[in-house]
Amino acid sequence: MGKGKLAKFADMAEYTHVFEYPYSQVADAPCEMKGSWNRDFFKNDYPIVLELGCGRGEYTVGLARRYADKNFIGVDIKGARMWTGAKQAQEEGLANVAFLRTNIEIIDRFFAPGEVSEIWLTFSDPQMKKATKRLTSTYFMERYRKFLVPDGLVHLKTDSNFMFTYTKCMVEANHFPVEFITDDLYHSGLDDDILRIRTYYEQQWLDRGLNIKYIKFRLPQEGKLVEPDVEIELDDYRSYNRSKRSGLKTSK
């Protein structure tokens, strides 16, 4: 690990708004905040909104600036990236921001039933090889159900045609109520202050001429979830400026 990363990890260890539970430590260190985020940390009863896979935390911080009547928690395992948003939130004195460093696969261990009102997924890895790794798969929807309020909101912003198509098919297969959907967000006519927050990578994708897709849907608590049985054309890249590894053209 480089000196820069070590310094950032040391810095974050001193932040009272950063909670670190890497997968290897969870069995020995249960999250004491589960069920008490509002009471013990935020000190209010405002709704809690998660950004899963928050990266540098730009979206988490951007949302917190705009909505003082909501609490925001950015979640990611990569602490060196998260440090950017954590430091910014501290410098700006944003009392409605926290960061949780852990693996999203175990996100349901950190929140009690009904403790979270919304989830944001901003430019998640599409995980084109394996459905259960996709943050909009039924595998993760089952976990979100454990702590989202009934009919809680899930937002997805993505540059990936594969991720957008898969999510749309998953939503249709499970009859989730859709509040808004577009395959070209910045030419959709949607006037929403939230959607004007642009992350570092989002701006790079926009500069490349890639359309940003967006879907907002509600997640019901009832009903068995099913995976969509559909072949989807793969993206020709994995992430910004990186070609895909697989020679396959489609995947489920």
Side-chain angles (χ1 to χ4, degrees):
M1 187 182 293
K3 291 183 179 179
K5 285 188 177 181
L6 287 173
K8 289 175 181 178
F9 277 114
D11 209 16
M12 285 211 305
E14 302 298 320
Y15 291 165
T16 58
H17 64 302
V18 175
F19 301 83
E20 301 190 72
Y21 294 92
Y23 202 111
S24 60
Q25 297 180 13
V26 170
D28 300 322
C31 181
E32 73 277 8
M33 297 304 298
K34 182 176 181 177
S36 60
W37 286 94
N38 282 108
R39 185 192 67 202
D40 294 344
F41 179 74
F42 292 114
K43 312 293 185 183
N44 60 49
D45 294 323
Y46 296 152
I48 292 176
V49 181
L50 304 186
E51 185 193 2
L52 302 182
C54 68
R56 300 182 181 203
E58 301 136 293
Y59 221 81
T60 301
V61 172
L63 289 169
R65 289 192 191 112
R66 285 166 167 76
Y67 297 94
D69 58 349
K70 292 184 179 182
N71 301 316
F72 298 91
I73 303 175
V75 183
D76 209 302
I77 190 57
K78 296 183 179 178
R81 292 183 184 177
M82 180 184 288
W83 172 85
T84 302
K87 186 172 188 296
Q88 196 167 26
Q90 184 187 52
E91 290 176 345
E92 295 183 24
L94 295 172
N96 61 334
V97 178
F99 286 92
L100 173 63
R101 188 171 81 86
T102 195
N103 302 75
I104 297 173
E105 290 85 352
I106 56 172
I107 188 64
D108 53 302
R109 299 187 192 181
F110 300 93
F111 300 95
E115 193 169 16
V116 175
S117 64
E118 296 181 43
I119 291 174
W120 275 89
L121 305 170
T122 52
F123 304 98
S124 309
D125 187 327
Q127 298 287 354
M128 293 184 283
K129 286 187 176 182
K130 192 171 183 181
T132 55
K133 290 189 175 183
R134 297 169 202 152
L135 295 188
T136 56
S137 67
T138 57
Y139 175 88
F140 279 99
M141 291 296 145
E142 289 285 12
R143 281 151 180 75
Y144 304 158
R145 275 179 162 182
K146 293 179 181 179
F147 56 80
L148 264 180
V149 297
D151 296 314
L153 280 172
V154 180
H155 307 256
L156 171 74
K157 279 181 77 176
T158 181
D159 65 301
S160 167
N161 283 314
F162 182 91
M163 185 68 161
F164 179 69
T165 303
Y166 168 79
T167 303
K168 183 170 64 171
C169 292
M170 186 279 299
V171 166
E172 290 171 354
N174 290 283
H175 309 290
F176 294 164
V178 175
E179 301 221 336
F180 192 86
I181 184 170
T182 176
D183 62 1
D184 190 359
L185 178 60
Y186 293 109
H187 294 93
S188 68
L190 180 64
D191 186 20
D192 191 325
D193 194 45
I194 293 176
L195 301 176
R196 293 177 186 151
I197 305 169
R198 299 185 184 183
T199 68
Y200 171 79
Y201 290 107
E202 180 176 4
Q203 191 58 55
Q204 289 185 321
W205 290 317
L206 287 169
D207 291 344
R208 288 179 66 193
L210 294 176
N211 289 349
I212 304 302
K213 295 87 177 166
Y214 171 69
I215 180 170
K216 176 170 68 170
F217 61 92
R218 292 193 176 274
L219 179 58
Q221 293 288 323
E222 301 79 19
K224 182 179 179 180
L225 299 182
V226 297
E227 277 292 310
D229 185 16
V230 59
E231 289 282 340
I232 303 170
E233 184 177 353
L234 299 180
D235 298 330
D236 57 5
Y237 64 96
R238 289 169 51 227
S239 58
Y240 179 72
N241 212 27
R242 298 172 69 188
S243 60
K244 69 181 177 73
R245 293 172 179 164
S246 172
L248 298 176
K249 292 186 177 180
T250 64
S251 180
K252 286 190 174 183

